[in-house]
Amino acid sequence: MNSRRRELTDEQGSPGWLMTYADLMTLLLVFFVLLFSMSNLEKERFADAIRSFKTAFQYAVSGAPDNLIPLESTSPSQSPTDVNDAIMQSPEQSRGTKDNDAEDMADAELAALEMEWRELTTDLTRAFQLMQMQDAIEIGAPKDGKLSLRVKGAALFTSGSANFNPAMLPMLDALLETLIVNPGYKLEIQGHTDDLPIRTPQFPSNWELSAVRATTVLRYMVDSGVNPRRLTATGYGSSLPLVPNTSQENRAINRRIEFVLEKRALE
């Protein structure tokens, strides 16, 4: 028994459990200090919230004008003036900014399209010059998002028929290559005649002649691998002359096939 008591005492004779008890009391003290500090923080936040509600209630009861209730800000990145300016920005100003962005984007797209048209026109002109067909083909300036190529009717078809002139097939192949390289383009094929009437079993009028010529070109391109959804063919007869049909020269100008390239998505 005496030996056990000696084990529980230190060299000065104090009990050994006293150190453990002191450590426990220290930890409890630290714990309660933390609880106390946290409770004070919550009290301060609660007091701030009460003051805000109280101020808002006073503004509502007193009928004060519609002003922003000043709140304390702890963020140093923005001043109250900057915040108020951002909040009070009128819808017209916001809409104006969006409209300007949309206009800038539209201008950029238009500039890119115009550059693409120029490159396309240059490539076609060079190809027709190499074929020595520039006299039979006229390439117009891009307009309203479209590029027109005008081919003399006598150069592409024999008189009064819808049979191809074999010498003009390389020209059609150049257009084919253009469509293949530029899959975003559609092609409208238009047939036109002069005002001289035609009455044959195959072509009762110029309407049939112009329509069959246009669809003959369309069929050639479809057979060569172009998606039919990218092609349209229309016969206009003599309804859209370029010049009055008052002479043989003018009638030769009005007999034509027009190719209209347009950049459009497939429907």
Side-chain angles (χ1 to χ4, degrees):
M1 186 70 179
N2 292 333
S3 62
R4 186 174 182 182
R5 287 181 180 178
R6 283 194 300 270
E7 291 175 357
L8 294 176
T9 59
D10 56 9
E11 295 178 357
Q12 286 78 18
S14 60
W17 54 267
L18 186 59
M19 297 298 295
T20 303
Y21 180 77
D23 292 339
L24 178 61
M25 291 299 102
T26 303
L27 292 175
L28 287 175
L29 178 61
V30 172
F31 176 72
F32 283 112
V33 168
L34 288 175
L35 287 180
F36 180 73
S37 62
M38 293 173 64
S39 64
N40 284 343
L41 181 61
E42 295 298 328
K43 282 183 179 180
E44 292 176 0
R45 291 182 179 176
F46 182 74
D48 291 339
I50 291 297
R51 283 196 297 272
S52 298
F53 280 115
K54 192 173 182 180
T55 305
F57 182 74
Q58 288 175 353
Y59 269 76
V61 172
S62 62
D66 296 334
N67 292 328
L68 291 175
I69 300 173
L71 297 176
E72 295 180 1
S73 174
T74 59
S75 174
S77 59
Q78 265 188 318
S79 65
T81 303
D82 296 336
V83 175
N84 290 340
D85 290 342
I87 294 174
M88 298 303 292
Q89 187 179 19
S90 64
E92 289 77 9
Q93 291 174 332
S94 300
R95 190 161 48 248
T97 302
K98 293 180 180 178
D99 291 342
N100 291 335
D101 293 341
E103 290 177 1
D104 292 341
M105 185 176 297
D107 292 341
E109 291 178 355
L110 182 60
L113 183 59
E114 289 178 352
M115 182 178 295
E116 192 171 337
W117 281 127
R118 286 195 296 268
E119 294 178 356
L120 188 62
T121 302
T122 302
D123 293 341
L124 288 173
T125 302
R126 186 181 299 112
F128 295 149
Q129 288 176 348
L130 291 175
M131 300 174 191
Q132 297 182 352
M133 295 179 180
Q134 62 271 21
D135 294 335
I137 303 171
E138 180 183 350
I139 301 178
K143 183 179 179 181
D144 298 330
K146 298 179 181 180
L147 178 66
S148 297
L149 290 80
R150 190 173 298 143
V151 182
K152 294 179 180 179
L156 191 56
F157 295 99
T158 57
S159 179
S161 74
N163 297 324
F164 281 134
N165 179 358
M168 294 300 292
L169 290 181
M171 182 272 297
L172 293 178
D173 292 337
L175 283 175
L176 274 171
E177 184 178 356
T178 299
L179 288 174
I180 293 173
V181 175
N182 300 278
Y185 285 87
K186 286 189 172 184
L187 179 65
E188 181 182 0
I189 307 164
Q190 302 175 356
H192 301 272
T193 66
D194 57 25
D195 65 341
L196 295 178
I198 181 173
R199 291 184 180 91
T200 65
Q202 186 179 6
F203 307 115
S205 70
N206 283 323
W207 289 101
E208 286 79 12
L209 176 60
S210 61
V212 171
R213 284 180 171 178
T215 53
T216 299
V217 176
L218 182 147
R219 183 172 179 177
Y220 177 82
M221 293 192 170
V222 171
D223 292 343
S224 299
V226 179
N227 187 344
R229 297 175 61 191
R230 300 176 59 193
L231 303 170
T232 58
T234 309
Y236 290 95
S238 60
S239 61
L240 298 176
L242 295 175
V243 294
N245 287 292
T246 55
S247 64
Q248 290 297 328
E249 292 78 8
N250 286 2
R251 289 190 177 94
I253 294 174
N254 291 329
R255 294 191 297 268
R256 66 196 188 277
I257 294 290
E258 291 191 10
F259 299 90
V260 181
L261 282 165
E262 182 178 6
K263 191 167 187 178
R264 286 190 304 178
L266 290 179
E267 298 176 355

